[in-house]
Amino acid sequence: MIVLGIDVGGSALKGAPVNTKTGRLLGERHRIEIDSPCPTVQGLAAARAIARHFKWSGPVGVGFPSVILDDHIGVVGNLGKNWEKKNGAVLFSRATGGRAKLFNDADAAGLAEMRFGAGKGQMGSVLMLTMGTGIGSALFFRGRLMPNLEFGHIPWRGRPIERFAAAAVRKRRKLTWPEWAKRVNTFLAVAERICSPELIIIGGGVSKKADKWLKYIKANAKVVPARMGNDAGIVGAALAWEQAGK
Ligand code: BGC
């Protein structure tokens, strides 16, 4: 089926119609910058603009950077508190004019990597991490997702560990790649202590620059960069819509 996938990130919304059978985008992705934190009206206007750009009124899968329980937005790290406790499916359906469903953004990206990317055919325990403004996490076992895992919010020195090791921290603090990788190793050690995955897939923008950091990564599990790059969030949001059923 064709679903409009929208990936809500810390600095932009990105979307495109996706063929869920092939995992391919059916048009060049449309990106709209947002403020950080982002007022709800601004974020929803961006979603509306993406739907209009593709003249879309069909199903809309939205990957959103928070826990999502029963379509409701949970604690929001980076977009701002004004989103919290709202029924995101209702908000995004109204904004886009299509039937929207909401999922955690890392869960969505993980679904895409498991189906079409670095996790394809992996039946053991796989931990997908997205490195961006925050750290997203998704855990799979025998191909099935355990939703709403929030490894980025493990406390570290009194703060969520994503504020120590996310990709945005590298840029903000002007860390070298080895310095950043050392922080990621600290994070991975904590994550491995909790769930002992066989495979760790690292996604987000850094997945395209794996030559810069992968050689410094130390973990018990095999660590590989994600293969779907920035499209994983969009494709995964569409897959999640289809999986959730009509
Ligand atoms: C949020 C997660 C999200 C991650 C990546 C974190 O701050 O709590 O839900 O998956 O950022 O966007």
Side-chain angles (χ1 to χ4, degrees):
M1 72 185 293
I2 312 292
V3 179
L4 176 66
I6 296 183
D7 184 20
V8 180
S11 55
L13 268 73
K14 293 152 271 176
V18 176
N19 179 334
T20 56
K21 213 170 179 181
T22 60
R24 294 259 165 82
L25 305 191
L26 295 178
E28 203 175 312
R29 65 206 197 116
H30 194 57
R31 175 189 169 101
I32 297 192
E33 305 283 326
I34 51 169
D35 294 333
S36 175
C38 171
T40 29
V41 270
Q42 191 191 49
L44 294 171
R48 177 175 305 120
I50 290 172
R52 288 222 175 125
H53 176 83
F54 293 107
K55 300 187 176 56
W56 191 260
S57 58
V60 181
V62 181
F64 193 90
S66 82
V67 165
I68 305 293
L69 284 172
D70 245 354
D71 291 333
H72 284 76
I73 297 169
V75 176
V76 177
N78 300 307
L79 282 187
K81 288 206 176 303
N82 60 123
W83 293 88
E84 286 179 8
K85 301 200 179 110
K86 304 234 161 76
N87 184 322
V90 169
L91 291 184
F92 281 92
S93 295
R94 273 194 210 133
T96 58
R99 174 129 186 264
K101 290 181 194 165
L102 226 64
F103 312 92
N104 171 264
D105 57 350
D107 287 353
L111 284 175
E113 279 298 329
M114 293 300 285
R115 179 89 65 89
F116 301 110
K120 196 172 165 188
Q122 297 290 336
M123 294 313 281
S125 55
V126 181
L127 179 64
M128 163 86 183
L129 299 169
T130 61
M131 298 293 195
T133 313
I135 298 180
S137 48
L139 187 61
F140 294 83
F141 182 58
R142 296 194 179 139
R144 302 260 312 192
L145 169 71
M146 153 77 206
N148 286 318
L149 200 75
E150 287 278 11
F151 276 13
H153 285 264
I154 292 169
W156 182 255
R157 297 178 181 159
R159 294 185 339 147
I161 199 160
E162 65 180 9
R163 301 226 196 126
F164 172 73
V169 179
R170 186 186 66 81
K171 289 195 181 148
R172 201 166 51 238
R173 302 213 163 244
K174 299 191 173 63
L175 302 177
T176 61
W177 286 103
E179 281 167 344
W180 178 68
K182 204 170 155 200
R183 290 183 178 217
V184 174
N185 287 341
T186 302
F187 169 68
L188 293 181
V190 176
E192 288 203 294
R193 191 83 182 85
I194 298 172
C195 70
S196 304
E198 287 153 57
L199 177 68
I200 298 175
I201 303 173
I202 300 201
V206 292
S207 59
K208 287 176 292 184
K209 299 176 187 158
D211 55 315
K212 304 236 189 273
W213 52 267
L214 193 56
K215 52 183 176 262
Y216 305 115
I217 295 297
K218 290 192 192 93
N220 294 321
K222 185 174 173 204
V223 180
V224 296
R227 281 208 209 120
M228 301 196 55
N230 278 331
D231 288 346
I234 298 172
V235 174
L239 291 181
W241 196 101
E242 187 181 44
Q243 259 189 25
K246 289 156 201 139

